[in-house]
Amino acid sequence: MSDMQSTSGAVRLDGKAIAEQVRVELAAEVAEFKAAHPMFRPKLVALQVGERSDSSVYIRQKAKACKEIGVEFEHVQLDNSIQQAELDARVDSINNDPAIHGLLVQLPLPAHLSTRHVVQSIRAEKDVDGFHAENIGWLSKRDGSPYFHPCTPLGCIELLKRYNIAIAGKRAVVIGRSDIVGAPVAMMLTKLDATVTLCHSRTANIEELVRDADILVVAIGQPEFVRADWVKPGAAVVDVGMNAMDDATKKAGFRWVGDVHPGAAAHAGFLTPVPGGVGPMTVAMLLRNVVASAKRHYAAASTVRIVPSVLNLADPVPSDIVIAQAQASALKPIAQLGAELNLAPRELEPHGRHAAKVTLDVLDRLDGIRNGHYVVVTGISPTPLGEGKSTVTVGLAQALYAHLGCAAFACVRQPSQGPTFGIKGGAAGGGYSQVAPMTAMNLHLTGDIHAISAANNLVAAAVDARRFHEATQTDAQLMARLCPPKRGMSQFAAPMLRRLQRLGINKTRPEDLDADEVARFVRLDIDPERIVWRRVLDTNDRFLREITIGEASTERGMSRRTGFDIAVASEIMAVLALTTSLADMRQRLARMVVAMSRAGEPITCDDIGVTGALTVLMKDALSPTLMQTLEGSPVFVHAGPFANIAHGNSSIVADKIALKLVGVPAEPGFVVTEAGFGADIGFEKFVNIKCRASGLVPDVAVIVATVRALKMHGGGPDVVPGKPLADEYTRENLELLERGFANLRRHIENVNKMGLAAIVAINAFATDTQAELELVRALARDAGAYDAIPTHLWAKGGAGAVELAQAVARCCADKSGAEGFRFLYDDNLSIKEKIEAIAKQVYRAASVSYSEEAERKIEQFAANGWSSMPICMAKTQYSFSADPALKGAPEGFDLPIRDIRASLGAGFIYPLCGAMQTLPGLPTRPCFYDIDIDEDTGDIVGLF
């Protein structure tokens, strides 16, 4: 730029022109990056306290500059009286907002606020001014790399570079040692291999040092401090000063001068003008910092950091809890795991050191991100001991993550405390394929099941209380108590207004209702014989299955027969698992049917006015709980509906969040979600209920099988919890195994029927022989499985499922599964047609028979307009039929439907096939005999 030489000889370091050039370059850079990455939205926030006019001018300049290059700008203006704590909260909120890439606080601040504190409160990676101690600290180190360089010093260096002024090996003098300009620019020149002298007001021989400087940067804030004749001939002079000097000839009464006398142009080789030199470069470098920050944030958010935890395998394999305690020191703090997943701090709500709620805000932030691969784990018809679906789900995720280096999430249900203290034990996986810490998962965790219990029992209390009050009060008394006067006026609560609309009463003031409308409004007229809502608890207690309530004299003889269910059988649990948002959950809770009126009308939670309270109780439970496996891969634990009487799958929101989080990398990762019990139950409901509600499409299904279960289906003796296994299960028996394979064959066929590829995971036990494993593998492949692979996840963790993980990855890459995905039946079929589609196509029943009660309810449900809902069959998990003793792959049987019920909140109709137990009992020897605590260490013992 030699053509820009001044009349006095020095080349003008035209900051204004260079700044404009930088802006043009940045605009092109942003546009190009946005074109390649549509989710890229750089954003700068300027926080201003008070209304200083000069500060407002600076902010408007920055806003204009941001707009020119395609950076979103937000001006947050706060009242001058704001207190430190409130200002800190605002800064913290911006720090934790992943959509904001730069934050600057406009200085000066009012005297009652600490500037130092506020500046240091800005996260270093968003400190685009470059003032944070961490950024300055890294700048001071020879090999340090700060997130940002301070803008003005960076502008000075940029000017020198743009004019091809050599820096390395030159003598540089910096006058002024401020933290904003002098000290940082001296450090930057040093890192560029200049020999730097930093001068200040106490430096004795400044003139002598200046005369020897090849590069001179002056930022001392004193008008024309450096005299013209001090400047070395040919030196490059960067004048940062901007001082107002009185000048009566100027309209404003002053003129701007720098820290260097303008006569220096006669000596210098290069010189910045004042104004128009460094000033424009400061804003340009701020923009560069913002764009760099946004790209850095985008790059970080476009990867999932894979940081496996090391397993210390023991042989023989100890108990689950001993393994969990041995691995406890290797567990990651939950904040670290969240950071590896690129979760923003505000999206993570820690519950202790190793668990956290993840808010649904992440779905909004990642709305445009594609999903990762969706893998569902199901199983064959199990023995009462279970066949290890949870273990395979966890172990497969560990293998994908720790051994194949893929982003991988497991999504599992939260276990009920009933089985934990009953006979089955916990449900965190097993052996070296566990969710950790398993004690937290199997006990209270984050309180979701307690919230469900509280919400469920509030509904039960409200139903009986309403029935009592209607029986003991007149219409007028009910109206007066339901709409009490406040400040002299009566008014309807929000749910009351909704009830009036459903009744066709278009009035909004209580006093406007006539007597007939009052009666219709205040009286739900609940039929005590047709109350369908039961109380729940999270304990196996057989003596609460059928009870009588209302026996106290205060209840005036209004006793009735009812009972308790296990908490996870509550419809509210199914609602939690199938909801997609807070608003959706509220609507689902509102339409749950709790009873029928004497006139045969359904009575909902909204009719009894409890919808808002339920939503409040369930608000925190809506967020899935983030945990980890023993090998450090992330896990969502959320919801736990029964698989035989409900749909038996973890939550939609957990799957959706996980799919977005693993969909970020260039090579999308995997979400492994578990469907309860066999493929005839959990998988069928996963497809026809869960996928219908979520809109998600799985890529592949993994069917878990064991040699033990296949032998049982081949005619082996009963498998009874608590009793030793018969010899048939511990010795090689290929004939028995081949006969029992019919059960697995049908499950493979059913998965294929839904348009998915099936991979069989053979969960190998120590007593299985190689010949048995190879037989299952060969038979499964012949039956149409994509592959069949023995796994050793219990003993080896992820290392025992590497081949399975490779098959899953290969199948997803082949896209041989999801392209043909389909539901078993259409929404517009009748209730009976849907039931018979499941019974005949999945179970292979020859016919379906209905009790009189079931027939009556089907007609009633159709009249109510409920026929469009999917079907959730409630039947035994131990057989394709309704008879748990009918093993293998029976066909030609009749499926009896003894009753049928509607879960309008969950959004399905569930027929009951045979007797279904909704509250387990305790066995002779429950698990709680073994559970205790070590008084010295506080460790829990005996929990499996």
Side-chain angles (χ1 to χ4, degrees):
M1 295 189 179
S2 58
D3 60 322
M4 300 184 68
Q5 192 158 355
S6 72
T7 55
S8 302
V11 173
R12 178 187 176 94
L13 298 178
D14 193 339
K16 185 176 181 181
I18 297 300
E20 180 59 30
Q21 185 178 341
V22 169
R23 292 186 192 188
V24 170
E25 293 167 356
L26 288 172
E29 180 181 348
V30 169
E32 181 181 0
F33 202 83
K34 281 184 176 179
H37 309 281
M39 295 291 293
F40 180 65
R41 300 186 187 97
K43 182 175 181 180
L44 171 66
V45 170
L47 195 152
Q48 179 185 11
V49 180
E51 299 179 351
R52 281 181 55 131
S53 59
D54 55 345
S55 293
S56 298
V57 169
Y58 294 143
I59 288 174
R60 285 195 295 271
Q61 291 173 348
K62 291 166 185 173
K64 181 175 179 290
C66 284
K67 183 178 180 180
E68 289 175 353
I69 70 164
V71 169
E72 183 180 345
F73 182 86
E74 181 181 353
H75 177 199
V76 177
Q77 188 159 21
L78 305 174
D79 190 81
N80 198 64
S81 63
I82 191 172
Q83 296 303 301
Q84 189 74 58
E86 186 180 353
L87 179 57
D88 289 349
R90 295 299 294 266
V91 170
D92 191 55
S93 175
I94 296 169
N95 276 336
N96 292 329
D97 188 341
I100 297 172
H101 308 108
L103 168 61
L104 59 88
V105 175
Q106 190 65 44
L107 303 178
L109 292 172
H112 70 282
L113 299 173
S114 169
T115 298
R116 179 187 179 91
H117 172 79
V118 172
V119 169
Q120 299 308 316
S121 295
I122 300 171
R123 286 175 59 182
E125 57 266 40
K126 293 192 178 185
D127 167 42
V128 288
D129 270 332
F131 295 161
H132 194 281
E134 182 177 339
N135 284 319
I136 296 298
W138 281 113
L139 178 61
S140 69
K141 299 183 73 64
R142 181 177 179 181
D143 59 348
S145 181
Y147 290 108
F148 307 102
H149 294 84
C151 299
T152 300
L154 187 59
C156 295
I157 300 298
E158 186 68 16
L159 277 172
L160 296 175
K161 289 181 176 180
R162 292 276 177 157
Y163 281 86
N164 298 316
I165 297 170
I167 299 175
K170 302 296 182 179
R171 289 192 179 94
V173 170
V174 178
I175 302 179
R177 55 179 173 179
S178 73
D179 292 336
I180 295 175
V181 182
V185 82
M187 288 186 277
M188 293 168 71
L189 286 166
T190 300
K191 294 180 84 168
L192 292 170
D193 297 323
T195 301
V196 181
T197 302
L198 180 61
C199 302
H200 48 79
S201 58
R202 299 292 182 92
T203 303
N205 56 341
I206 287 183
E207 179 181 347
E208 179 182 340
L209 294 169
V210 169
R211 290 182 183 277
D212 199 34
D214 301 309
I215 299 171
L216 177 63
V217 181
V218 188
I220 200 168
Q222 295 185 28
E224 300 180 353
F225 175 82
V226 175
R227 298 178 185 176
D229 60 352
W230 291 7
V231 176
K232 179 180 180 180
V237 180
V238 179
D239 188 352
V240 184
M242 190 80 166
N243 310 285
M245 180 175 285
D246 293 339
D247 188 340
T249 66
K250 300 294 183 181
K251 184 177 180 181
F254 66 89
R255 59 186 171 86
W256 293 109
V257 299
D259 290 352
V260 179
H261 192 282
H267 304 276
F270 300 87
L271 177 65
T272 55
V274 178
V278 175
M281 292 298 297
T282 298
V283 177
M285 294 302 102
L286 173 67
L287 297 176
R288 176 182 284 181
N289 279 349
V290 173
V291 172
S293 176
K295 292 177 75 172
R296 181 166 53 240
H297 277 83
Y298 190 89
S302 298
T303 59
V304 173
R305 292 182 289 286
I306 310 296
V307 186
S309 302
V310 177
L311 279 181
N312 296 308
L313 302 177
D315 188 13
V317 178
S319 69
D320 290 354
I321 196 164
V322 169
I323 292 171
Q325 289 167 349
Q327 292 291 136
S329 61
L331 296 183
K332 306 171 189 177
I334 200 65
Q336 176 186 332
L337 182 60
E340 291 169 8
L341 294 166
N342 298 308
L343 287 167
R346 72 174 189 175
E347 295 168 344
L348 205 66
E349 299 173 353
H351 284 246
R353 183 172 170 80
H354 295 118
K357 286 286 191 179
V358 175
T359 68
L360 270 61
D361 295 342
V362 69
L363 286 174
D364 295 328
R365 176 170 63 86
L366 299 178
D367 182 50
I369 298 294
R370 65 184 171 183
N371 287 337
H373 297 298
Y374 197 23
V375 181
V376 58
V377 176
T378 183
I380 62 171
S381 305
T383 70
L385 300 177
E387 309 318 307
K389 278 195 318 305
S390 297
T391 301
V392 171
T393 300
V394 174
L396 173 56
Q398 289 181 185
L400 288 163
Y401 179 89
H403 300 274
L404 267 61
C406 302
F409 237 109
C411 291
V412 298
R413 291 177 293 164
Q414 181 178 351
S416 163
Q417 287 182 184
T420 297
F421 292 103
I423 193 167
K424 184 175 180 291
Y432 287 99
S433 295
Q434 288 187 44
V435 179
M438 62 91 76
T439 50
M441 180 179 174
N442 283 305
L443 298 174
H444 307 284
L445 196 54
T446 50
D448 292 358
I449 294 180
H450 299 318
I452 288 166
S453 299
N456 184 98
N457 293 340
L458 176 61
V459 175
V463 169
D464 285 309
R466 183 61 176 263
R467 187 171 66 92
F468 172 82
H469 292 306
E470 287 189 22
T472 56
Q473 297 178 51
T474 66
D475 292 353
Q477 289 172 325
L478 285 168
M479 189 68 178
R481 288 179 171 87
L482 286 171
C483 303
K486 293 182 180 180
R487 299 179 182 177
M489 292 183 62
S490 297
Q491 60 182 13
F492 292 117
M496 296 177 182
L497 290 170
R498 294 194 294 270
R499 172 164 167 74
L500 287 169
Q501 290 176 354
R502 288 192 293 274
L503 292 171
I505 302 173
N506 297 314
K507 297 178 180 179
T508 58
R509 297 192 307 170
E511 59 267 27
D512 292 342
L513 271 63
D514 60 31
D516 179 65
E517 290 169 337
V518 166
R520 292 170 59 205
F521 167 68
V522 301
R523 295 207 175 272
L524 299 177
D525 197 24
I526 298 168
D527 184 346
E529 299 300 319
R530 300 173 72 184
I531 296 173
V532 297
W533 199 266
R534 290 158 61 95
R535 289 162 173 82
V536 300
L537 78 166
D538 199 30
T539 302
N540 289 2
D541 190 344
R542 66 177 66 244
F543 287 95
L544 291 178
R545 290 169 178 167
E546 297 292 336
I547 62 170
T548 302
I549 61 170
E551 293 286 359
S553 60
T554 52
E555 274 43 80
R556 306 184 188 182
M558 293 186 63
S559 63
R560 69 177 181 90
R561 296 278 295 173
T562 182
F564 276 78
D565 295 330
I566 194 81
V568 292
S570 170
E571 184 177 352
I572 297 176
M573 176 62 89
V575 166
L576 177 64
L578 288 169
T579 195
T580 55
S581 66
L582 181 63
D584 180 51
M585 181 173 73
R586 182 189 183 92
Q587 292 168 8
R588 288 174 178 271
L589 294 171
R591 62 177 184 255
M592 292 189 303
V593 174
V594 298
M596 303 298 287
S597 72
R598 287 186 172 88
E601 295 294 325
I603 297 168
T604 67
C605 282
D606 214 38
D607 287 323
I608 61 174
V610 75
T611 302
L614 296 183
T615 308
V616 168
L617 285 171
M618 292 297 298
K619 178 180 72 70
D620 292 338
L622 180 58
S623 299
T625 300
L626 177 66
M627 299 183 75
Q628 63 192 290
T629 68
L630 292 180
E631 294 194 66
S633 59
V635 180
F636 272 142
V637 180
H638 199 216
F642 258 27
N644 47 8
I645 62 171
H647 70 288
N649 284 260
S650 60
S651 77
I652 286 174
V653 293
D655 286 3
K656 283 193 167 185
I657 294 173
L659 284 165
K660 291 299 182 187
L661 290 173
V662 303
V664 162
E667 289 295 327
F670 300 83
V671 170
V672 185
T673 192
E674 179 186 358
F677 292 136
D680 59 321
I681 298 181
F683 174 76
E684 183 273 315
K685 295 172 183 178
F686 168 82
V687 170
N688 294 303
I689 297 176
K690 184 175 180 179
C691 290
R692 252 192 178 91
S694 69
L696 298 173
V697 175
D699 292 285
V700 62
V702 174
I703 303 175
V704 178
T706 62
V707 168
R708 175 183 67 195
L710 291 175
K711 287 180 176 178
M712 180 193 71
H713 286 293
D718 288 344
V719 175
V720 180
K723 292 185 178 180
L725 289 172
D727 289 346
E728 287 86 344
Y729 298 111
T730 58
R731 295 178 182 173
E732 184 175 291
N733 191 326
L734 300 179
E735 181 182 354
L736 194 64
L737 181 62
E738 187 166 4
R739 285 204 306 268
F741 181 78
N743 184 270
L744 176 54
R745 178 184 290 108
R746 183 168 296 173
H747 286 297
I748 294 171
E749 292 169 356
N750 285 338
V751 168
N752 293 159
K753 190 185 298 287
M754 311 291 182
L756 286 182
I759 296 175
V760 175
I762 308 166
N763 188 19
F765 296 168
T767 54
D768 298 342
T769 68
Q770 189 63 33
E772 289 174 328
L773 296 175
E774 287 301 325
L775 177 61
V776 176
R777 186 171 199 173
L779 291 172
R781 286 172 169 171
D782 289 344
Y786 180 87
D787 206 343
I789 298 160
T791 62
H792 303 272
L793 308 105
W794 182 75
K796 299 180 180 180
V802 170
E803 189 180 351
L804 174 64
Q806 290 170 336
V808 166
R810 188 170 63 251
C811 185
C812 291
D814 291 345
K815 299 198 178 296
S816 52
E819 291 180 347
F821 177 73
R822 54 190 172 272
F823 299 128
L824 185 67
Y825 50 79
D826 294 329
D827 288 333
N828 57 7
L829 293 180
S830 69
I831 293 173
K832 280 191 173 182
E833 286 172 327
K834 292 174 185 175
I835 291 172
E836 290 171 15
I838 298 170
K840 294 179 179 180
Q841 295 185 50
V842 176
Y843 306 158
R844 307 299 203 277
S847 60
V848 180
S849 58
Y850 302 88
S851 69
E852 289 184 8
E853 178 71 3
E855 291 277 12
R856 184 186 65 79
K857 286 186 175 179
I858 288 172
E859 290 182 11
Q860 179 189 348
F861 292 175
N864 290 342
W866 300 345
S867 297
S868 62
M869 292 191 293
I871 300 298
C872 182
M873 300 290 277
K875 79 168 190 69
T876 178
Q877 67 268 33
Y878 297 122
S879 172
F880 281 105
S881 71
D883 180 2
L886 200 55
K887 306 298 185 185
E891 57 186 21
F893 55 87
D894 179 74
L895 186 73
I897 307 297
R898 69 174 180 84
D899 197 1
I900 187 166
R901 298 173 186 170
S903 292
L904 267 67
F908 54 67
I909 288 172
Y910 64 102
L912 279 75
C913 309
M916 298 302 304
Q917 191 56 258
T918 57
L919 181 59
L922 290 172
T924 303
R925 192 189 188 285
C927 292
F928 61 62
Y929 274 101
D930 301 310
I931 299 172
D932 208 333
I933 196 162
D934 186 315
E935 294 180 357
D936 295 327
T937 65
D939 290 339
I940 296 170
V941 297
L943 186 66
F944 286 86

